[in-house]
């Protein structure tokens, strides 16, 4: 195992398409719910403990060797909004391209063939982590961090927020990131005996509603 691989996978410059997505931040800014560093922290903490926890469980399970097709079905069941399912598969397709170029593996090829329109991004990320020799906990960390780093980066662009303030928000979320990553990895371990029902299924209805509304905007800065 190389921890350097985790740095590569979690790097915002890894060409997996995340820079084009705000994780719901653009809609939150438009609704005046996200206005400054304090509200960014609140937004990111809520997103981390809902969508981030679900993603952490899925990614950890994929890294642990669970059937990625069953996990993809589980991700669908946990993503009730069409706009977010489409986004997750679009990001998964781009992640797959980057992962196959970086850590070629038969498992990635098989999932790409089975889901030509893209599997859910956390599942692909977890499989990429496994291909890179990383642990389920590593995969959970990578996807949990992406859950909050994306909105933080988007807020800098949307609000002209000071990048130092945005980075300080991420630093203050460190304990939450630790907790969510561990919960995701623990759930993935239980899934070996209990199946995908053991994986987190936390919901964020407001994120779901605003994502569907955002998808219909005629003009937007971010794809989601």
């Amino acid at each position: 195992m190389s921890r350097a691989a985790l740095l590569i996978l979690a790097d915002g410059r890894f060409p997996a398409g995340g820079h084009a997505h705000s994780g719901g931040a653009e809609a939150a800014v438009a609704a005046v719910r996200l206005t400054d560093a304090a509200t960014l922290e609140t937004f990111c903490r809520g997103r981390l403990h809902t969508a981030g926890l679900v993603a952490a469980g899925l990614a950890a399970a994929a890294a642990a060797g669970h059937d990625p097709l069953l996990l993809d079905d589980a991700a669908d069941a946990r993503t009730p909004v069409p706009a977010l399912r489409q986004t997750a598969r679009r990001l998964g397709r781009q992640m797959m391209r980057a992962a196959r170029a970086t850590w070629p593996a038969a498992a990635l090829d098989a999932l790409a063939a089975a889901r030509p329109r893209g599997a859910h991004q956390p599942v692909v990320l977890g499989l990429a982590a496994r291909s890179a020799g990383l642990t389920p906990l590593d995969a959970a960390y990578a996807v949990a961090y992406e859950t909050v780093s994306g909105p933080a980066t988007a807020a800098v662009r949307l609000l002209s927020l000071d990048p130092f303030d945005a980075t300080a928000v991420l630093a203050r979320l460190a304990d939450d990131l630790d907790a969510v990553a561990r919960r995701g990895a623990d759930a993935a371990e239980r899934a070996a005996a209990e199946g995908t029902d053991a994986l987190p299924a936390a919901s964020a209805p407001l994120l779901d509603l605003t994502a569907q509304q955002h998808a219909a905007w005629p003009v937007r800065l971010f794809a989601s």
Side-chain angles (χ1 to χ4, degrees), residues 29-55:
V29 168
V32 200
R33 285 190 291 269
L34 201 170
T35 59
D36 53 17
T39 50
L40 173 63
E41 184 172 345
T42 299
F43 177 89
C44 286
R45 182 170 281 107
R47 178 169 166 76
L48 176 61
H49 285 278
T50 52
L53 177 60
V54 171

Side-chain angles (χ1 to χ4, degrees), residues 3-112:
R3 280 297 164 86
L6 176 58
L7 298 178
I8 294 168
L9 186 60
D11 192 336
R13 291 163 292 189
F14 189 70
H19 65 278
H21 297 264
S22 77
E26 186 168 25
V29 168
V32 200
R33 285 190 291 269
L34 201 170
T35 59
D36 53 17
T39 50
L40 173 63
E41 184 172 345
T42 299
F43 177 89
C44 286
R45 182 170 281 107
R47 178 169 166 76
L48 176 61
H49 285 278
T50 52
L53 177 60
V54 171
L58 291 165
H66 296 291
D67 185 340
L69 295 180
L70 290 180
L71 293 175
D72 196 53
D73 289 341
D76 247 5
R78 288 159 172 76
T79 314
V81 178
L84 288 180
R85 287 199 298 271
Q86 184 180 31
T87 294
R89 293 191 180 280
R90 186 184 301 131
L91 285 168
R93 188 167 60 246
Q94 182 65 24
M95 172 65 74
M96 179 66 78
R97 291 180 60 195
R100 292 173 77 187
T102 310
W103 300 290
L108 288 169
D109 294 340
L111 181 57

Side-chain angles (χ1 to χ4, degrees), residues 136-160:
L137 181 59
D138 290 330
Y141 263 110
V143 79
Y145 177 70
E146 183 184 53
T147 299
V148 293
S149 62
T153 300
V156 171
R157 296 174 62 185
L158 292 163
L159 297 171
S160 297

Side-chain angles (χ1 to χ4, degrees), residues 114-137:
R115 294 287 190 270
R117 295 185 178 181
H120 279 255
Q121 190 261 8
V123 178
V124 180
L125 186 149
L127 204 58
R130 182 178 177 84
S131 300
L134 296 171
T135 68
L137 181 59

